[in-house]
Amino acid sequence: MQFLQYFFWFSIAIVFYTYIGYGIILFILVKIKEKIHPPSPLKLQDPLADVTLFIAAYNEEKIVEEKMENCHNLNYPKEKLHIVWVTDGTTDTTNNKLATYPEVTILFSPERKGKTAALNRGMQFIKTPYTIFTDANTMLNPEAIREIMTCFSDPKVGCVAGEKRIESKDKDAAAAGGEGFYWRYESKLKSLDSRLYSAVGAAGELFAIETDLFKTMPTDTLLDDFILSLEIARQGYKIAYCDRAYAIESGSADMYEEQKRKVRIAAGGLQSIARLKGLLNIFKYGILSFQYISHRVLRWSITPVLLFLLFPLNLTLALTQTSVLYDTMLILQIIFYILAWTGAIMAKKQIKIKILFIPYYFTFMNLNVLKAFSYLNKHKGKGTWEKAKRG
């Protein structure tokens, strides 16, 4: 019984550290660092460098015009902005629509091998010193490229991660509401990570690299953006986080679509842990390893397992121990899961109660990590997946 008590408190400590404690420690470390060494402002390089806006797309005919209008609204010299669409496997009218834009380079192969294969193939044709990746269905703010290129004025930076924002709607569904809250929290952590040393990965909606640092990835890679950015960090470069460059996209259409996306991301996280196992060596990578383990590895491995073990452990201890503490904690867990369950019901009925979306989305997100184990095994060796529908 004593072992169960130790294991229970160990589990609470890991769950708390993963979702709250690391953020607190990070905040304190950043404040200390910036007190000792105040950050120096960066200036945009002069002359401006040539950049390629790289868009990997599959059957995106509905969004081509809007995306190209967004590209034209970017505040960067047109002669220095090269737009490349890689449309491998596309069977709709995407290529026909893109052909009406003479400034666009279309790289097309009839065989669909997945996004990572498209990236590997497309990057062979990129000649500019910097490459900015974005998705077809995300819209960038006008100053995005200038802000990203300002970050590259630091010679230690090899990758710049932009901010992902979820489009706000008057009547957010649980998927969009929960996801929006999650990304706001994530954005804060990424900013603190970057200010301490380096952001831990980038999101494919918007990130940039020094082109020469690109490394070909296995075609079955699920999180190409994460693997690519961390491989650059392994080379000794920093990943800067730039919240002044952001990509806006709609939240998932519903929780079923969000589940497909979250399970794939979690499976990609598990895959990444195996493929980036060298980063677990804190003696070699120091603070980067500390950040990587704290911010990513725990979330994609043991923390969700321990989270869902807390309830049966707590129940066992409450039934076998005379303790107000264990009884109180069990009641708090019951209340939390009732709120999550109520949030699930409200989501199905399309009733907007945002406060319930948070426990629901948190529980939902961690459940999808458990589902990711079987997903990864099922999709082993495959480079394609079904896209989640956006709202």
Side-chain angles (χ1 to χ4, degrees):
M1 191 57 64
Q2 193 172 36
F3 169 76
L4 285 182
Q5 293 181 51
Y6 287 142
F7 188 58
F8 175 72
W9 289 109
F10 169 78
S11 300
I12 285 181
I14 294 296
V15 171
F16 178 83
Y17 174 76
T18 300
Y19 295 111
I20 300 175
Y22 174 62
I24 294 172
I25 292 172
L26 196 58
F27 178 81
I28 294 171
L29 291 177
V30 167
K31 289 298 181 183
I32 293 173
K33 177 191 173 184
E34 293 183 347
K35 188 74 173 178
I36 299 171
H37 300 291
S40 302
L42 297 173
K43 293 183 179 180
L44 186 62
Q45 299 174 22
D46 186 24
L48 294 176
D50 281 55
V51 302
T52 294
L53 193 63
F54 190 109
I55 305 164
Y58 170 72
N59 286 352
E60 295 286 4
E61 61 183 4
K62 295 179 180 179
I63 205 72
V64 168
E65 289 92 346
E66 184 180 355
K67 182 65 175 181
M68 286 306 303
E69 181 182 357
N70 180 245
C71 291
H72 292 152
N73 290 332
L74 295 172
N75 182 17
Y76 206 78
K78 304 307 177 187
E79 69 276 9
K80 292 183 176 291
L81 178 60
H82 307 264
I83 304 173
V84 172
W85 285 67
V86 182
T87 59
D88 293 355
T90 288
T91 56
D92 64 4
T93 63
T94 296
N95 289 331
N96 293 334
K97 290 186 174 184
L98 287 172
T100 64
Y101 298 93
E103 70 276 23
V104 171
T105 298
I106 306 170
L107 301 176
F108 171 71
S109 174
E111 186 177 2
R112 185 190 180 201
K113 295 182 179 179
K115 185 179 180 181
T116 304
L119 290 178
N120 289 339
R121 192 180 74 82
M123 286 300 293
Q124 300 175 47
F125 300 92
I126 305 304
K127 305 301 181 185
T128 58
Y130 298 95
T131 304
I132 300 175
F133 300 93
T134 182
D135 290 340
N137 64 344
T138 58
M139 303 302 147
L140 312 184
N141 64 304
E143 300 300 319
I145 296 181
R146 284 181 175 269
E147 294 292 352
I148 285 172
M149 295 311 298
T150 298
C151 294
F152 278 120
S153 62
D154 181 349
K156 296 178 181 178
V157 171
C159 174
V160 178
E163 180 171 281
K164 173 182 174 179
R165 297 184 182 180
I166 304 301
E167 184 180 15
S168 297
K169 296 182 179 179
D170 293 336
K171 206 169 184 179
D172 283 336
E179 187 183 1
F181 177 84
Y182 169 77
W183 274 106
R184 286 192 294 274
Y185 175 66
E186 265 298 288
S187 295
K188 186 62 178 178
L189 282 185
K190 287 180 180 180
S191 176
L192 290 171
D193 272 331
S194 181
R195 288 160 61 188
L196 180 64
Y197 175 70
S198 171
V200 189
E205 287 78 9
L206 177 61
F207 76 106
I209 67 168
E210 286 191 32
T211 303
D212 288 344
L213 298 179
F214 179 84
K215 283 190 173 182
T216 300
M217 297 170 283
T219 55
D220 65 342
T221 301
L222 292 171
L223 292 185
D224 50 88
D225 45 11
F226 185 76
I227 290 285
L228 175 54
S229 56
L230 263 294
E231 285 291 0
I232 289 173
R234 284 181 70 176
Q235 296 178 56
Y237 293 90
K238 294 181 180 180
I239 304 170
Y241 181 69
C242 182
D243 58 5
R244 299 175 305 281
Y246 54 87
I248 302 175
E249 72 173 6
S250 301
S252 298
D254 52 45
M255 292 307 284
Y256 173 72
E257 296 296 330
E258 178 68 355
Q259 176 181 297
K260 290 194 298 186
R261 201 175 67 85
K262 282 296 182 186
V263 170
R264 181 181 64 78
I265 290 173
L270 291 169
Q271 184 190 66
S272 300
I273 292 171
R275 294 186 177 178
L276 296 169
K277 55 182 177 291
L279 271 179
L280 300 175
N281 186 348
I282 199 164
F283 298 103
K284 182 177 181 179
Y285 294 102
I287 195 165
L288 178 63
S289 289
F290 162 68
Q291 293 178 297
Y292 172 60
I293 293 168
S294 300
H295 194 163
R296 297 299 184 188
V297 174
L298 290 176
R299 289 191 188 191
W300 285 333
S301 57
I302 66 170
T303 298
V305 176
L306 296 178
L307 173 68
F308 292 115
L309 282 176
L310 281 177
F311 187 81
L313 284 171
N314 197 169
L315 180 61
T316 301
L317 291 170
L319 292 174
T320 57
Q321 304 286 315
T322 304
S323 170
V324 175
L325 179 60
Y326 288 131
D327 291 344
T328 302
M329 296 186 74
L330 181 62
I331 291 170
L332 291 174
Q333 284 204 74
I334 290 172
I335 292 172
F336 176 83
Y337 285 115
I338 287 175
L339 291 174
W341 176 70
T342 305
I345 294 174
M346 295 298 102
K348 288 181 179 179
K349 294 183 177 181
Q350 296 296 310
I351 299 174
K352 180 183 176 181
I353 306 178
K354 270 194 171 182
I355 192 65
L356 297 177
F357 290 168
I358 296 172
Y360 171 38
Y361 194 81
F362 179 78
T363 305
F364 164 84
M365 187 173 62
N366 282 283
L367 278 172
N368 287 330
V369 176
L370 302 185
K371 295 175 183 178
F373 288 92
S374 61
Y375 178 98
L376 186 59
N377 184 60
K378 182 179 177 182
H379 289 76
K380 195 172 183 178
K382 297 179 181 178
T384 60
W385 58 84
E386 183 184 355
K387 293 190 296 183
K389 295 177 183 177
R390 291 287 174 179

